[in-house]
Amino acid sequence: MNLASDYPLLNVFWTMCWFFLWILWFMLLFRILIDLFRDDSLSGWAKAGWAIFLILLPFLGVFVYLIARGRGMGEREMAKAQKADEQFRAYVRESAGTSGEGSTADQLAKLTELRSAGHISDEEYAKAKAKILT
């Protein structure tokens, strides 16, 4: 029995296309479920309703979710990426040893704010300024 002659090359191509579309569909479905449960603006009942809708009618549920909440999905992903970038930058600054101290100009500006608010006296300001500048 020769299986290669029973399954021509074009059929292999179409089978591969359907297989990758099937994988793509499941990736989209899981991405929507992850977005649904990470969203803090929805109540528990709304999340449960969307989850039931996505499980019982997956094709319709995915399309309705993308139409109704697709823009918010992108905004939440962008906010998550920005937060991760800020955390990375804070980690790099902390590792480099510049997170707590700041630049000299920043420290002098903070001292000036403290003095103008009346939290420190002129003598304390002068001592702190001399310490920063040395």
Side-chain angles (χ1 to χ4, degrees), residues 10-72:
L10 187 59
N11 286 351
V12 171
F13 174 74
W14 282 114
T15 302
M16 293 291 287
C17 285
W18 282 112
F19 178 73
F20 285 119
L21 283 173
W22 184 70
I23 296 296
L24 179 68
W25 177 257
F26 276 105
M27 287 177 60
L28 181 62
L29 183 64
F30 288 126
R31 169 125 183 192
I32 288 174
L33 284 171
I34 289 170
D35 178 68
L36 177 66
F37 287 106
R38 284 186 180 169
D39 187 11
D40 293 332
S41 66
L42 287 178
S43 69
W45 287 105
K47 289 179 184 183
W50 273 111
I52 290 169
F53 188 42
L54 287 168
I55 291 170
L56 293 179
L57 298 169
F59 288 105
L60 183 62
V62 165
F63 293 131
V64 170
Y65 188 88
L66 289 176
I67 291 168
R69 299 181 47 85
R71 177 173 293 180

